[in-house]
Amino acid sequence: IADNLDIGLNVTLSGADPILFANSPNNGSILIDVGGLVTISTETQTFGNSFSIIAGGNIDSGGTLISTQDLADSGLDSGSISFTSTGGSITLGALDSSGADHAGAGALASNAGSVSLSTSTGLITVSSIDASGGNATGGGGSVGGDGASISIAATGGDVVIGGALTTEGGSGDNAGVSG
């Protein structure tokens, strides 16, 4: 969905709880780029696809979970989350870009996706962010997924974090690297 900040479209994601974007074997991306507001009114899962929003107004998820974690045992990395508001605030519930766990012997658990939140005019409020690597539980030389970075910048307002920010590497016979 895109108007490239030109028209001022408002976008609302709502419907069945949760909203499930298609699982892709190659992990693509979902982009919403609009000049107006973006409202996400129900839990959203992208199954490894990256999720980016660029909005001219507020971005508001109403406290619902947004997850980019891929399926367990897939070995595919989780998608990144990148939300930018050029003319409003960002208000979010929990964000989960953590890597998926893997139970196979000698398996590589999934790496986490990075999280970036920025606004130039408003405040950023988020319940919690988990960008930790997946756990490899199968033994036999299994490797935990790497954690990813979290970046939060509110140049025009405050940042309010309601819970934990987690970027640790996943466990396994060999642990993943922290973000």
Side-chain angles (χ1 to χ4, degrees):
I1 301 171
D3 81 354
N4 300 313
L5 301 177
D6 293 334
I7 300 170
L9 292 176
N10 295 324
V11 174
T12 300
L13 299 179
S14 63
D17 190 10
I19 295 173
L20 305 174
F21 286 94
N23 184 28
S24 167
N26 298 319
N27 289 358
S29 61
I30 298 157
L31 170 65
I32 299 173
D33 183 351
V34 296
L37 312 172
V38 176
T39 304
I40 303 168
S41 61
T42 189
E43 180 181 330
T44 303
Q45 298 177 358
T46 71
F47 296 107
N49 294 297
S50 293
F51 191 19
S52 298
I53 298 173
I54 302 168
N58 295 337
I59 300 171
D60 187 351
S61 74
T64 62
L65 170 69
I66 297 172
S67 174
T68 60
Q69 186 183 74
D70 212 318
L71 298 173
D73 298 330
S74 69
L76 297 173
D77 293 344
S78 295
S80 62
I81 297 172
S82 176
F83 294 169
T84 300
S85 172
T86 61
S89 295
I90 299 175
T91 305
L92 304 170
L95 300 179
D96 181 7
S97 66
S98 63
D101 294 343
H102 203 303
L108 301 174
S110 299
N111 295 324
S114 63
V115 175
S116 174
L117 307 175
S118 64
T119 179
S120 55
T121 60
L123 64 90
I124 296 175
T125 303
V126 62
S127 296
S128 62
I129 302 174
D130 186 354
S132 55
N135 296 315
T137 60
S142 62
V143 178
D146 292 342
S149 63
I150 296 172
S151 170
I152 302 172
T155 56
D158 295 330
V159 173
V160 179
I161 309 294
L165 301 177
T166 309
T167 63
E168 63 193 10
S171 64
D173 287 340
N174 298 293
V177 176
S178 296

